[in-house]
Amino acid sequence: MKSNYEKDGVMYAIISYLMWGLTPIYWKLVQHVSSGEVLAQRVFWSFIFMLILLFVTKKWHTYITFVKEIMKKPALFWSLFIASVLISSNWGIFMWAVMKGKILEASLGQYINPLTSVLLGVIVLKEKLNRTQILAFIIAGIGVLILTLHYGVFPWISVSLALTFGLYGLAKKKIKAESTIGLTLETMVISPIALVYILYFIFQSHSQFFDSFSNSLLLMGSGMVTALPLLLFTKSAKKVSLSMLGILQYISPTLSLIVGVGLYHESLTRAHFIAFIFIWLALAIYTISSITKRGKENNKQIKNKSKIEA
């Protein structure tokens, strides 16, 4: 029974990561539309999709309760607003990178996401790393440095993607809401700004939403493309161990890398290849170290429990 439970979780995780890895194909379909309008439409339709989902899953009353709580607590509102701005910025940077033919840089940003999140944990939350994990960060830093020296420009797309998502994770720590409610709240806060932007484009006759039925459909569908993989991931997170999720999460950037090189013929230079090897090595070292550490902690807990029962 437990085995089937875990298998379902792994399946949900794989599907969600596959969807995230393939999203560059979707954003390429709307690359003729202004990236600002695509982002605004994505935020707005994500909110609409989440509202419909709340009605279907009968979580509307829980959502209203959270909204009332936020109205009474300014600190909670600002945490939510910051989280909303950060995740919207992350979406915008990723889409802009895809539309500009920089999927490889976006992929690199996704690879260093976990390491950046941990680094922020060390700096902000004063968490501690062991020597092996410190080594992983040094190796990853060398990978980023190689790209910087090769292009003569700091890889801001990769680092911005990793930082915005890492800071988003920190901001989310204060918002203790179930993921469906959380995503609805985040898109709710930023949706008024997105709607004003959409209306401005329409009144200035710059909007491409009404140019064709396919445009309208693709922009409306961006809400589902945003929310669906996140919801599947949430279902998997309840059934799969963190160590397994840690390994599976690299499906997404790897698939994006393959899409960028294989489908859109982005150039995988020697510097890219060497930098990715350093990043992959750092991730392997960090993942193995984390799994080993977690295993030791679990064994320690089992021993302590056995002593108490004895």
Side-chain angles (χ1 to χ4, degrees):
M1 191 77 176
K2 187 179 178 182
S3 177
N4 290 334
Y5 186 78
E6 289 175 345
K7 282 180 182 177
D8 288 343
V10 170
M11 181 187 70
Y12 289 136
I14 290 173
I15 294 171
S16 65
Y17 286 128
L18 285 173
M19 291 178 73
W20 274 322
L22 291 170
T23 51
I25 297 173
Y26 194 92
W27 305 127
K28 280 286 186 181
L29 294 174
V30 290
Q31 65 179 347
H32 57 284
V33 181
S34 159
S35 56
E37 183 178 6
V38 175
L39 177 59
Q41 296 280 0
R42 182 182 182 181
V43 170
F44 177 73
W45 290 110
S46 293
F47 178 53
I48 299 301
F49 177 79
M50 293 308 299
L51 286 179
I52 294 168
L53 192 67
L54 287 178
F55 276 112
V56 173
T57 56
K58 298 179 180 179
K59 293 180 180 178
W60 180 254
H61 293 297
T62 309
Y63 168 68
I64 294 298
T65 302
F66 268 100
V67 171
K68 289 178 179 177
E69 186 181 347
I70 289 163
M71 297 299 287
K72 295 176 183 176
K73 298 179 180 178
L76 188 59
F77 170 80
W78 286 113
S79 294
L80 182 62
F81 181 77
I82 291 167
S84 302
V85 170
L86 286 167
I87 195 60
S88 299
S89 301
N90 186 272
W91 292 347
I93 294 166
F94 183 82
M95 289 188 305
W96 182 88
V98 170
M99 292 175 179
K100 296 297 180 181
K102 299 178 184 293
I103 298 175
L104 290 185
E105 289 186 51
S107 173
L108 177 63
Q110 289 177 312
Y111 273 120
I112 62 177
N113 261 346
L115 296 174
T116 308
S117 295
V118 174
L119 186 61
L120 286 170
V122 172
I123 296 169
V124 180
L125 304 177
K126 308 301 179 185
E127 295 174 353
K128 292 184 179 180
L129 300 176
N130 58 38
R131 291 179 182 178
T132 309
Q133 291 170 330
I134 292 171
L135 175 63
F137 278 102
I138 293 170
I139 293 171
I142 293 170
V144 174
L145 183 62
I146 288 168
L147 279 182
T148 304
L149 293 174
H150 176 74
Y151 287 107
V153 178
F154 187 69
W156 70 269
I157 292 173
S158 306
V159 175
S160 297
L161 281 171
L163 272 177
T164 50
F165 196 79
L167 289 168
Y168 165 71
L170 280 177
K172 284 269 289 182
K173 282 186 175 291
K174 290 189 177 182
I175 309 162
K176 296 177 181 179
E178 187 263 333
S179 62
T180 309
I181 303 294
L183 183 58
T184 310
L185 291 169
E186 288 159 21
T187 50
M188 175 196 74
V189 169
I190 210 76
S191 276
I193 299 172
L195 186 57
V196 167
Y197 196 81
I198 291 168
L199 292 174
Y200 171 78
F201 260 69
I202 291 171
F203 288 128
Q204 292 295 316
S205 301
H206 296 317
S207 176
Q208 292 177 276
F209 182 80
F210 301 106
D211 281 5
S212 65
F213 178 70
S214 60
N215 266 13
S216 302
L217 205 61
L218 284 167
L219 291 172
M220 288 172 68
S222 64
M224 185 182 293
V225 169
T226 300
L228 203 54
L230 179 61
L231 297 172
L232 286 170
F233 171 77
T234 305
K235 288 192 76 172
S236 72
K238 295 175 182 178
K239 301 181 178 185
V240 181
S241 65
L242 286 173
S243 56
M244 176 61 77
L245 284 175
I247 294 168
L248 291 174
Q249 71 180 320
Y250 302 122
I251 292 173
S252 176
T254 303
L255 194 53
S256 292
L257 176 66
I258 293 169
V259 166
V261 176
L263 198 59
Y264 299 110
H265 311 294
E266 289 192 17
S267 178
L268 183 63
T269 64
R270 188 177 179 183
H272 269 117
F273 187 69
I274 294 170
F276 272 104
I277 287 175
F278 273 93
I279 299 295
W280 289 329
L281 179 60
L283 289 171
I285 291 171
Y286 179 78
T287 303
I288 292 168
S289 173
S290 297
I291 292 170
T292 305
K293 184 181 177 182
R294 197 170 288 116
K296 287 179 180 178
E297 288 173 353
N298 289 339
N299 288 335
K300 189 176 180 180
Q301 287 176 359
I302 291 169
K303 287 179 180 178
N304 289 338
K305 189 178 179 181
S306 300
K307 286 179 182 178
I308 292 168
E309 288 175 352

